[in-house]
Amino acid sequence: MISIKLRLKLLPFQAEALQWFKSQEDGRFKGGILADEMGMGKTIQMISLLLTDLPAKMHTLVITPTVALLQWKSELFLHTEKNSLSVFIYYGSACSDLTIEDLKKYNVVLTTYSSIESAYRRQHLGFRRNGKYVKKSSLLHSFHWDRIILDEAHHIKEKNTSTAQSAYKLEATFRWGLSGTPLQNRLGELYSLIKFLRIDPYAYYYCYTCSCKSLTWNFSDHSYCDLCGHYRMQHFCFWNKEIMRPIQKFGNFSSGLTAFGKLGWLLHNIMIRRTKIEKAADLGLPPRLIYRRSCYFNDEELDFYESLYSESRTTMQAYVEAGTLLNNYAHIFDLLTKMRQAADHPFLVVFGNRLSNSLSCSDVCGICQGEAEDPIISKCHHVFCREDVKEFIDTCPEPSPVCPKCYIPLTIDLEQPTLAPSEKVTSKAALRNRTSILNRMDIGGWKSSTKIEALLEELSNLRNRNCTIKSIVFSQYCSFLDLIEWRLLRCGFNAVKLDGRMTPEQRASVIDRFSKDPNIAVFLISLKAGGVALNLTEASRVFLMDCWWNPAVEYQAMDRIHRLGQLRPIEVIRIIVENSIESRILQLQVFRKKTVTL
């Protein structure tokens, strides 16, 4: 058994994984994929691997979604002995003046996918400064890391995106990918991870006539190889030739069957995956039950939805008759999105355009939830009534009051001039908060929706049965979360919210508040910003307010609470409007679970 300075005892399957990690790094592939199901402690297992390097000073780069950045730091300090690992967060403009020597001081550097993408883009494409395009070398890409870890590695599943390209260009001795859903849609998504791991020969391009070998497609003139000078038709991608194309062409027969055998051998050698069912005895997790609450439009909502459906159908028929259906894919997707939004709340369609309605109405106070009187704005870009925030500060029992919206220390000038509705703001974060859907609609003309009232009924019944149970509400639309939050707060529910408009510090603050404050019963989370990487075992109920095309995304969200450390039985409630597009999306999800699109 490998001796490590970890404060908790590894479960048997986690100790088994640690042995596998070391054998992989000592072997041919120098890394691999940890694909344990969500909630089985992938972070802890990788931390145990980092501790096996001590006392040697190895340098590890951990790339995570933004929402998990501070959580990784917290886990590193919580589960390791004091001063075992030195940790640095590489995020934001404050890191622009760092040097390689500065990075060498730390065992672990934490950063985000957006940070490496931005750094890589600035290095290769440049950015505008004083009217000119300039390029800046990426510090993260200039450093040769001992180990790179991609948390939620399916973020690079699309191989041609700038995020994936930036990950490929990072240099390291050992490479690891962590994902509970490494394959979400199609077999081709695995190639992104194979390429990041640099698995030889599958990740490379080869030449038929010479020893030319490259990780990228090097044809700057689109005809001849930059390395060997041979014509492009003399080059091939090993993954496509040996696995992808045979499976696409022959399926599970002939050459396709042989390709499946090669794929099986490859995954057996570079990936380890265990499920909660397989390791139920070790995990001891409570059961998880998934329910479906069916509801139906009221008359007003049905009229609105049917008119929107009729308009969308007419538009699509026009495209079909003109033979331009595929040329207008983006427009069709926008029509489908509006129908999905209408199933949540008609206001998402009516007030969805930020440009046409932006700042046309008064701001909403973050304390009283009404139209702000004599509004002023805080440093964290939230608007309050002047008298309300004065009273809040005067009556706050804490020595340093925190913002009642994002729970970071409250900084606000109580003597600042009144914020006019049409006043321009220069900060992007302030602009996002000022253009919230609540500020684009007339609060006095508020109308609820079938889904919001169904959620409110479920939460009220839950509170009546057991007021200690906490719930998480997921939606993919931030504007819908704004509407839900406003309704819940007006009904006496204490709720916090996390979405992509928040900084890492704000996200960490609301997560900490939800975890530690027994009075906060509901956590509203954007599916994209908080549907992965979070550990929220304080909650035992999940409400999914809308359907996503890819069911794997929803299962990622469900498992924010069904994970190690959970003691209560789990219930997941999907709130569905039956007489809408959502029932068709559910049928599509069932089909996608049964098949793999190649």
Side-chain angles (χ1 to χ4, degrees):
M1 176 63 186
I2 301 173
S3 176
I4 57 175
K5 297 181 178 181
L6 195 65
R7 287 183 175 176
L8 53 79
K9 183 179 180 181
L10 294 176
L11 297 174
F13 74 90
Q14 294 175 331
E16 174 190 350
L18 179 57
Q19 297 286 350
W20 182 77
F21 295 156
K22 297 305 295 181
S23 66
Q24 285 293 108
E25 291 191 343
D26 293 337
R28 165 186 172 185
F29 297 108
K30 306 301 180 184
I33 304 171
L34 176 59
D36 285 352
E37 197 172 353
M38 293 77 71
M40 295 180 66
K42 291 189 289 295
T43 302
I44 294 298
Q45 294 175 67
M46 294 311 299
I47 290 176
S48 68
L49 174 61
L50 301 183
L51 292 173
T52 61
D53 300 330
L54 302 177
K57 190 175 180 62
M58 293 188 69
H59 305 287
T60 299
L61 177 66
V62 180
I63 305 170
T64 80
T66 305
V67 71
L69 190 63
L70 295 180
Q71 183 167 302
W72 258 89
K73 181 180 179 181
S74 175
E75 295 278 336
L76 283 164
F77 284 113
L78 180 64
H79 298 301
T80 61
E81 294 183 6
K82 188 176 181 180
N83 300 324
S84 295
L85 295 171
S86 54
V87 181
F88 177 73
I89 294 181
Y90 189 97
Y91 183 84
S93 57
C95 301
S96 58
D97 297 328
L98 294 178
T99 65
I100 290 180
E101 294 302 318
D102 294 326
L103 292 184
K104 288 182 178 179
K105 300 175 183 178
Y106 302 97
N107 298 118
V108 182
V109 175
L110 303 174
T111 190
T112 66
Y113 287 97
S114 59
S115 295
I116 63 167
E117 188 275 335
S118 176
Y120 178 75
R121 179 163 31 86
R122 284 169 170 258
Q123 175 175 285
H124 288 269
L125 300 179
F127 59 98
R128 185 177 291 276
R129 176 184 288 175
N130 298 327
K132 298 181 180 179
Y133 272 97
V134 296
K135 294 183 178 181
K136 182 179 180 181
S137 177
S138 169
L139 181 62
L140 297 177
H141 291 82
S142 302
F143 190 78
H144 188 283
W145 303 94
D146 295 301
R147 182 185 291 113
I148 295 178
I149 300 172
L150 295 189
D151 189 23
E152 305 298 342
H154 51 267
H155 274 68
I156 65 166
K157 63 182 181 181
E158 299 295 340
K159 63 180 181 180
N160 294 323
T161 62
S162 55
T163 300
Q165 295 296 325
S166 64
Y168 300 153
K169 295 296 182 179
L170 292 166
E171 295 297 330
T173 304
F174 308 118
R175 296 167 176 266
W176 291 97
L178 315 183
S179 176
T181 53
L183 181 61
Q184 294 190 355
N185 297 293
R186 58 188 67 87
L187 182 60
E189 292 175 353
L190 275 177
Y191 178 65
S192 290
L193 289 176
I194 300 298
K195 190 172 181 179
F196 165 74
L197 296 173
R198 300 188 180 181
I199 303 299
D200 195 359
Y202 294 93
Y204 292 87
Y205 294 93
Y206 290 88
C207 179
Y208 284 111
T209 57
C210 69
S211 59
C212 176
K213 171 185 173 182
S214 174
L215 191 66
T216 58
W217 187 248
N218 297 306
F219 292 85
S220 56
D221 63 354
H222 305 291
S223 296
Y224 296 96
C225 178
D226 298 338
L227 301 179
C228 68
H230 292 121
Y231 189 57
R232 63 179 182 180
M233 297 303 294
Q234 294 173 295
H235 294 76
F236 68 96
C237 172
F238 197 92
W239 168 269
N240 288 340
K241 182 176 182 292
E242 297 296 326
I243 294 181
M244 192 68 186
R245 288 173 184 165
I247 293 177
Q248 286 179 327
K249 187 174 182 180
F250 299 103
N252 199 30
F253 301 95
S254 185
S255 299
L257 185 60
T258 303
F260 270 119
K262 295 178 181 178
L263 178 62
W265 176 89
L266 175 63
L267 295 181
H268 176 75
N269 283 274
I270 68 168
M271 184 174 78
I272 182 172
R273 177 173 175 82
R274 285 78 56 88
T275 66
K276 293 174 181 175
I277 295 177
E278 292 174 359
K279 303 300 178 181
D282 292 342
L283 293 168
L285 289 177
R288 180 184 65 185
L289 301 177
I290 303 177
Y291 300 100
R292 174 174 169 177
R293 166 152 183 170
S294 299
C295 49
Y296 297 86
F297 287 130
N298 59 38
D299 292 341
E300 188 175 358
E301 290 173 327
L302 185 59
D303 289 342
F304 180 85
Y305 183 83
E306 287 181 343
S307 65
L308 186 63
Y309 173 77
S310 178
E311 178 184 349
S312 301
R313 184 177 181 180
T314 301
T315 302
M316 292 184 68
Q317 285 179 342
Y319 290 148
V320 172
E321 293 174 359
T324 59
L325 184 65
L326 296 180
N327 295 336
N328 291 277
Y329 174 80
H331 190 197
I332 293 171
F333 186 79
D334 181 60
L335 294 175
L336 293 175
T337 299
K338 287 183 178 179
M339 292 175 63
R340 296 170 63 205
Q341 291 175 332
D344 287 341
H345 199 303
F347 282 4
L348 298 183
V349 180
V350 177
F351 299 104
N353 190 336
R354 292 188 177 187
L355 298 178
S356 61
N357 296 304
S358 178
L359 308 180
S360 60
C361 297
S362 300
D363 290 301
V364 175
C365 173
I367 296 177
C368 69
Q369 300 303 314
E371 183 178 322
E373 297 181 4
D374 193 11
I376 55 178
I377 190 169
S378 66
K379 187 177 180 180
C380 53
H381 313 301
H382 292 111
V383 177
F384 306 99
C385 301
R386 192 185 302 269
E387 291 302 320
D388 284 349
V389 73
K390 282 183 179 180
E391 183 178 355
F392 175 80
I393 294 174
D394 292 339
T395 59
C396 183
E398 302 175 7
S400 299
V402 296
C403 173
K405 295 291 289 183
C406 64
Y407 297 99
I408 66 172
L410 179 61
T411 302
I412 187 169
D413 179 9
L414 298 177
E415 304 302 325
Q416 65 180 277
T418 299
L419 190 67
S422 58
E423 183 177 336
K424 293 183 178 180
V425 292
T426 57
S427 166
K428 291 182 179 180
L431 180 62
R432 286 194 294 267
N433 281 284
R434 290 295 306 278
T435 55
S436 166
I437 191 172
L438 295 175
N439 299 328
R440 300 196 298 272
M441 53 181 276
D442 180 10
I443 289 297
W446 160 267
K447 291 182 180 180
S448 189
S449 71
T450 298
K451 274 196 176 184
I452 292 180
E453 293 307 307
L455 172 65
L456 187 61
E457 181 182 350
E458 292 283 346
L459 290 174
S460 298
N461 293 337
L462 181 60
R463 182 167 60 178
N464 292 335
R465 294 197 306 269
N466 188 341
C467 62
T468 65
I469 293 179
K470 295 193 173 192
S471 304
I472 300 177
V473 178
F474 282 104
S475 175
Q476 56 202 283
Y477 303 114
C478 294
S479 294
F480 191 37
L481 292 178
D482 293 340
L483 296 176
I484 295 174
E485 180 187 34
W486 189 87
R487 181 74 171 105
L488 292 180
L489 293 176
R490 299 285 284 189
C491 292
F493 285 92
N494 291 322
V496 293
K497 182 177 62 178
L498 185 153
D499 58 40
R501 298 171 290 192
M502 303 170 69
T503 65
E505 292 76 16
Q506 290 175 322
R507 300 182 196 203
S509 295
V510 296
I511 292 170
D512 184 68
R513 195 75 174 197
F514 176 76
S515 301
K516 297 180 179 179
D517 191 341
N519 296 315
I520 296 178
V522 183
F523 199 173
L524 307 171
I525 302 181
S526 165
L527 193 62
K528 186 175 182 180
V532 296
L534 290 181
N535 185 350
L536 299 171
T537 53
E538 293 77 15
S540 57
R541 296 293 185 276
V542 167
F543 294 91
L544 298 176
M545 298 302 294
D546 32 48
C547 304
W548 188 245
W549 303 105
N550 185 357
V553 176
E554 295 184 359
Y555 278 98
Q556 280 273 6
M558 295 177 192
D559 283 329
R560 296 312 97 209
I561 66 174
H562 193 232
R563 54 201 306 112
L564 283 172
Q566 181 59 260
L567 302 176
R568 300 191 184 202
I570 303 302
E571 291 186 9
V572 179
I573 298 93
R574 310 179 70 177
I575 300 181
I576 304 297
V577 177
E578 293 293 348
N579 51 341
S580 72
I581 191 177
E582 292 188 331
S583 58
R584 300 299 298 272
I585 294 177
L586 289 180
Q587 294 175 12
L588 177 63
Q589 288 186 355
V590 172
F591 174 76
R592 295 184 70 168
K593 291 175 187 177
K594 294 180 179 178
T595 61
V596 177
T597 305
L598 300 179

